[in-house]
């Protein structure tokens, strides 16, 4: 309970800090300032607490730890020990505590924070470029230097009140995820660049873990990792999560940096992070044979355009299929890339639009080849409006390389969800919905009425390798039978009521008197028209 209270308090405190920026720019912009500030404060506070502990002082405040730091500047062995343990060392004039003091007494200058970022980024590739999107002199912060300074000082003071290091478990990491989700909610379509809802991330991760034992360690890969939240879900469901190695690639540099911060704030060792800023489709990565992964998960951008150059027909990711996914839709390019990097004993789960289940031409040929190989293990239909970036219904495709048959389990989970109260068009998977999908996937029943069907290869072949879910799972709900006698009686009652109302109205009109013949003629016309229409 204490951990949950700490998490809620931290989440609300962090989101409240966004108020300093919310009126100045949209969420897709101010997230860079807020998340970057949180990250820097965490690193700085972690260092101060660590230095005080190594100096023999326990249970100190940040102000006290800052004093201990300043008093021990000549203790080179102590400082070197802290740097070796953490991988960085922030100078005393650039700690968050010092910068916060300056913000509180009015002496803070923007170049102080800019210099602090530059010095941290220069301490190794782990921090290089992390604050590139933190534009201290943006006109969005204010029209002049003083207003820009005041805005950033406001952010520093708002976050300065929060304890980020001495929090239980993954409280800070979860709070960071909460912030990212709130930014996604406010960002609309731009959210697709960096966020997969936690419920979908949980489902994807757990689908690849069904029937597996990775207690001795595993490797996971997301070739379109966004903020890294999908990868980080494995920590919750794998025993000995410290032995997970994370591989991820992201084309957007800002989002790539967000993922790096997210990993560190979830206490993932730098040695276990193999992240790359690059184009997944244009250049294959990782290229080493040893990087076949136990789990591959992905929520790539839907129906993205890509080059589809003929040279890719010689690329081992695509060559065995004889055709390339069309230039206008890279859906199968992402799928084949992930599947190529899947270990023989592993599992892959990818979210894509429903079109990949039935579109023809090159995509149809690729789908048929995958089915003939027995690569497709399950097709799961999700509800519409799960994602902030699009309202379309999507499907999860689960793939394996070691299937013993060519059957495919179809699950139609599109009607089981809850509406998000704060957002009219947003839906959300409940825990019970996730658990039901996983239970059916694990048990593989032949049929679950109006929900699931295990289709044989012959059945799929008879359907011309079309995987459209309604072909296999009948969710039709017949309209309730209508008693024609009740309908006839209801019509007679309505007709009788109309006649009674007509007589009453006509009587009321005839009682009217006027010396104006035109008015009386008009009223008579109305009466005649009414009588004609109601006959």
């Amino acid at each position: 309970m204490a951990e949950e209270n700490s998490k809620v308090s931290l989440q609300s405190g962090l989101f409240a800090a966004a108020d300093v920026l919310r009126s100045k720019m949209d969420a897709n912009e101010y997230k860079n300032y807020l998340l970057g500030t949180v990250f820097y404060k965490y690193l700085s506070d972690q260092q101060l607490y660590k230095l005080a502990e190594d100096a023999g002082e326990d249970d100190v405040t940040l102000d006290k730890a800052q004093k201990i730091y300043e008093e021990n500047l000549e203790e080179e062995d102590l400082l070197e020990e802290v740097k070796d343990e953490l991988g960085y060392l922030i100078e005393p004039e650039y700690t968050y505590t010092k910068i916060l003091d300056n913000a509180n007494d009015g002496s803070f200058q923007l170049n102080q924070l800019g210099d602090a970022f530059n010095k941290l980024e220069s301490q190794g590739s782990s921090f290089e470029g992390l604050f590139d999107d933190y534009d201290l002199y943006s006109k969005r912060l204010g029209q002049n230097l003083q207003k820009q300074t005041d805005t950033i000082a406001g952010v520093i003071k708002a976050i300065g009140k929060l304890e980020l290091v001495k929090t239980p478990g993954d409280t800070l990491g979860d709070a960071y995820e909460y912030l990212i989700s709130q930014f996604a909610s406010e960002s609309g379509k731009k959210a697709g660049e960096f966020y997969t809802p936690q419920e979908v991330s949980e489902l994807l991760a757990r689908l690849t873990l069904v029937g597996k034992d990775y207690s001795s360690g595993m490797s996971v890969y997301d070739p379109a990792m966004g903020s890294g939240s999908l990868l980080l879900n494995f920590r919750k469901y794998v025993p000995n999560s410290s032995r997970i190695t994370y591989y991820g690639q992201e084309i957007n540099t800002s989002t790539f940096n967000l993922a790096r911060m997210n990993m560190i704030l979830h206490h993932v060792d730098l040695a276990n992070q193999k992240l790359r800023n690059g184009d997944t489709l244009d250049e294959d990565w990782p290229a080493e044979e040893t990087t076949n992964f136990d789990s591959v998960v992905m929520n790539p951008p839907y129906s993205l355009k890509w080059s589809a150059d003929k040279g890719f027909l010689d690329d081992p990711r695509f060559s065995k299929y004889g055709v390339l996914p069309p230039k206008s839709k890279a859906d199968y390019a992402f799928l084949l890339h992930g599947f190529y990097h899947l270990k023989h004993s592993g599992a892959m789960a990818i979210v894509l639009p429903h079109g990949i289940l039935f579109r023809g031409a090159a995509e149809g040929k690729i789908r048929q080849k995958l089915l003939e190989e027995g690569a497709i293990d399950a097709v799961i239909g999700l509800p519409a409006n799960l994602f902030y970036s699009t309202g379309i219904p999507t499907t999860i495709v689960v793939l394996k390389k070691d299937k013993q048959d060519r059957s495919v389990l179809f699950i139609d989970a599109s009607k089981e969800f809850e509406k998000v109260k704060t957002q009219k068009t947003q839906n959300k998977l409940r825990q019970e919905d996730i658990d039901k999908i996983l239970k059916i996937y694990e048990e593989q029943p032949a049929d679950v009425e109006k929900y699931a069907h295990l289709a044989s290869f012959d059945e799929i072949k008879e359907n011309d390798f079309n995987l459209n879910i309604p072909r296999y799972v009948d969710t039709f709900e017949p309209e309730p039978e209508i008693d024609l006698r009740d309908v006839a009686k209801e019509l007679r009652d309505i007709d009788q009521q109309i006649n009674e109302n007509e007589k009453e109205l006509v009587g009321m009109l005839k009682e009217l008197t006027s010396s104006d013949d035109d008015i009386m003629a008009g009223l008579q016309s109305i009466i005649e028209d009414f009588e004609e229409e109601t006959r």
Side-chain angles (χ1 to χ4, degrees):
M1 181 61 72
E3 181 172 343
E4 188 61 32
N5 290 338
S6 175
K7 182 189 302 183
V8 172
S9 175
L10 189 54
Q11 288 176 350
S12 59
L14 288 172
F15 198 58
D19 290 338
V20 179
L21 297 165
R22 194 173 279 117
S23 63
K24 299 179 181 295
M25 60 190 78
D26 65 38
N28 199 50
E29 292 176 292
Y30 74 68
K31 80 175 192 302
N32 297 324
Y33 293 99
L34 197 60
L35 295 175
T37 306
V38 169
F39 181 68
Y40 190 79
K41 174 174 167 56
Y42 169 76
L43 294 180
S44 174
D45 293 359
Q46 178 180 241
Q47 175 189 310
L48 287 182
Y49 283 136
K50 185 63 182 170
L51 193 146
E53 179 186 328
D54 288 357
E57 298 282 351
D58 294 323
D59 196 25
V60 297
T61 65
L62 287 168
D63 287 334
K64 175 64 173 174
Q66 176 76 16
K67 290 180 181 178
I68 294 171
Y69 187 12
E70 293 171 354
E71 291 168 358
N72 284 274
L73 288 178
E74 303 301 322
E75 300 294 333
E76 294 184 6
D77 290 344
L78 173 63
L79 301 184
E80 196 64 35
E81 181 181 351
V82 171
K83 185 173 183 179
D84 287 344
E85 290 181 80
L86 299 180
Y88 64 91
L89 188 70
I90 298 170
E91 296 172 23
E93 62 267 36
Y94 297 119
T95 65
Y96 196 95
T97 300
K98 185 64 176 178
I99 293 171
L100 177 61
D101 285 343
N102 294 152
N104 285 327
D105 66 22
S107 62
F108 168 72
Q109 298 294 323
L110 286 180
N111 65 317
Q112 181 184 10
L113 189 59
D115 290 345
F117 289 163
N118 290 334
K119 286 180 177 294
L120 178 62
E121 288 181 325
S122 68
Q123 295 192 45
S125 59
S126 300
F127 306 104
E128 186 179 353
L130 274 177
F131 300 97
D132 283 353
D133 295 306
Y134 203 116
D135 185 356
L136 289 165
Y137 302 98
S138 168
K139 292 296 184 183
R140 297 292 185 92
L141 298 173
Q143 289 303 308
N144 56 52
L145 182 60
Q146 186 57 55
K147 289 184 177 180
Q148 293 160 5
T149 302
D150 291 343
T151 300
I152 294 298
V155 175
I156 290 168
K157 287 188 280 189
I159 294 173
K161 305 170 186 176
L162 303 174
E163 174 55 63
L164 301 184
V165 177
K166 294 182 178 180
T167 57
D170 260 349
T171 298
L172 176 60
D174 291 344
Y176 205 70
E177 284 284 339
Y178 168 80
L179 268 183
I180 295 171
S181 73
Q182 295 305 304
F183 294 142
S185 174
E186 294 184 24
S187 296
K189 289 188 176 181
K190 293 180 181 178
E193 297 176 1
F194 62 87
Y195 188 69
T196 299
Q198 278 296 304
E199 298 77 24
V200 179
S201 293
E202 175 187 341
L203 180 56
L204 289 167
R206 293 178 67 186
L207 281 166
T208 68
L209 297 174
V210 169
K212 310 290 185 181
D213 178 12
Y214 292 123
S215 54
S216 60
M218 69 176 301
S219 59
V220 299
Y221 179 42
D222 183 350
M225 69 175 172
S227 63
S229 60
L230 180 45
L231 284 171
L232 286 163
N233 258 272
F234 283 87
R235 291 166 55 83
K236 304 173 185 176
Y237 308 106
V238 175
N240 199 0
S241 61
S242 63
R243 302 190 69 177
I244 301 173
T245 304
Y246 304 89
Y247 286 77
Q249 182 157 239
E250 171 57 43
I251 190 171
N252 184 291
T253 303
S254 299
T255 308
F256 168 69
N257 287 334
L258 186 58
R260 295 164 67 195
M261 294 181 190
N262 204 4
M263 287 278 173
I264 291 173
L265 292 177
H266 277 88
H267 312 294
V268 176
D269 288 344
L270 293 175
N272 288 350
Q273 301 177 35
K274 313 293 183 182
L275 310 181
R276 181 174 184 261
N277 183 201
D279 189 323
T280 287
L281 300 181
D282 278 359
E283 183 181 355
D284 186 20
W285 180 87
E288 300 84 7
E289 290 184 11
T290 55
T291 53
N292 289 328
F293 304 104
D294 296 299
S295 287
V296 176
V297 287
M298 208 185 323
N299 178 24
Y302 307 145
S303 300
L304 185 75
K305 293 181 180 179
W306 76 303
S307 66
D309 290 338
K310 289 184 179 180
F312 281 119
L313 285 170
D314 297 323
D315 189 310
R317 296 174 292 172
F318 313 116
S319 58
K320 66 185 292 186
Y321 301 93
V323 293
L324 293 173
K327 289 184 177 182
S328 60
K329 296 179 178 66
D331 301 320
Y332 269 103
F334 282 109
L335 185 149
L336 295 180
H337 171 89
F339 188 62
Y340 172 76
H341 284 286
L342 182 66
K343 189 177 290 185
H344 185 74
S345 59
M348 172 179 168
I350 182 172
V351 185
L352 289 170
H354 277 263
I356 61 108
L357 302 177
F358 52 80
R359 291 193 297 247
E363 290 181 303
K365 292 177 182 178
I366 294 170
R367 185 171 60 248
Q368 179 175 339
K369 178 71 172 175
L370 288 167
L371 288 163
E372 288 172 343
E373 290 179 351
I376 298 178
D377 192 38
V379 173
I380 303 166
L382 297 177
N385 295 311
L386 286 183
F387 301 93
Y388 295 111
S389 55
T390 178
I392 66 170
T394 52
T395 185
I396 294 176
V397 181
V398 183
L399 300 102
K400 292 182 176 180
K401 290 183 176 178
D402 62 350
K403 270 174 62 68
Q404 300 304 306
D405 59 42
R406 297 188 289 181
S407 63
V408 177
L409 177 66
F410 290 86
I411 297 176
D412 188 343
S414 62
K415 295 178 176 61
E416 301 189 357
F417 58 88
E418 70 175 356
K419 289 190 173 295
V420 177
K421 294 179 181 178
T422 56
Q423 294 175 311
K424 294 180 180 178
T425 60
Q426 202 67 38
N427 297 327
K428 178 181 178 180
L429 289 176
R430 299 163 294 189
Q431 193 60 50
E432 63 199 69
D433 303 324
I434 297 170
D435 292 341
K436 182 177 179 180
I437 293 170
L438 290 165
K439 183 175 184 292
I440 296 300
Y441 177 68
E442 186 170 9
E443 294 178 353
Q444 300 270 316
D447 280 290
V448 178
E449 187 177 3
K450 299 187 184 303
Y451 189 78
H453 174 67
L454 185 62
S456 67
F457 177 76
D458 289 340
E459 186 179 353
I460 294 169
K461 186 176 181 180
E462 287 173 8
N463 277 290
D464 296 322
F465 301 100
N466 186 317
L467 299 182
N468 201 18
I469 297 173
R471 290 189 174 222
Y472 304 93
V473 182
D474 182 8
T475 60
F476 176 73
E477 293 285 353
E479 295 291 334
E481 292 187 9
I482 299 173
D483 190 323
L484 294 180
R485 289 172 297 183
D486 291 341
V487 174
K489 181 179 182 303
E490 186 177 351
L491 289 174
R492 287 196 299 271
D493 292 341
I494 292 172
D495 192 47
Q496 181 180 345
Q497 186 65 46
I498 289 174
N499 288 333
E500 291 175 358
N501 291 341
E502 173 193 338
K503 291 176 183 178
E504 183 179 352
L505 179 59
V506 170
M508 291 170 62
L509 290 172
K510 287 181 176 178
E511 289 177 3
L512 294 173
T513 60
S514 173
S515 59
D516 191 325
D517 292 340
D518 290 338
I519 293 176
M520 294 307 295
L523 288 172
Q524 184 62 38
S525 175
I526 292 172
I527 292 170
E528 291 172 356
D529 289 345
F530 182 78
E531 289 176 337
E532 180 65 30
E533 289 178 5
T534 55
R535 283 195 184 102

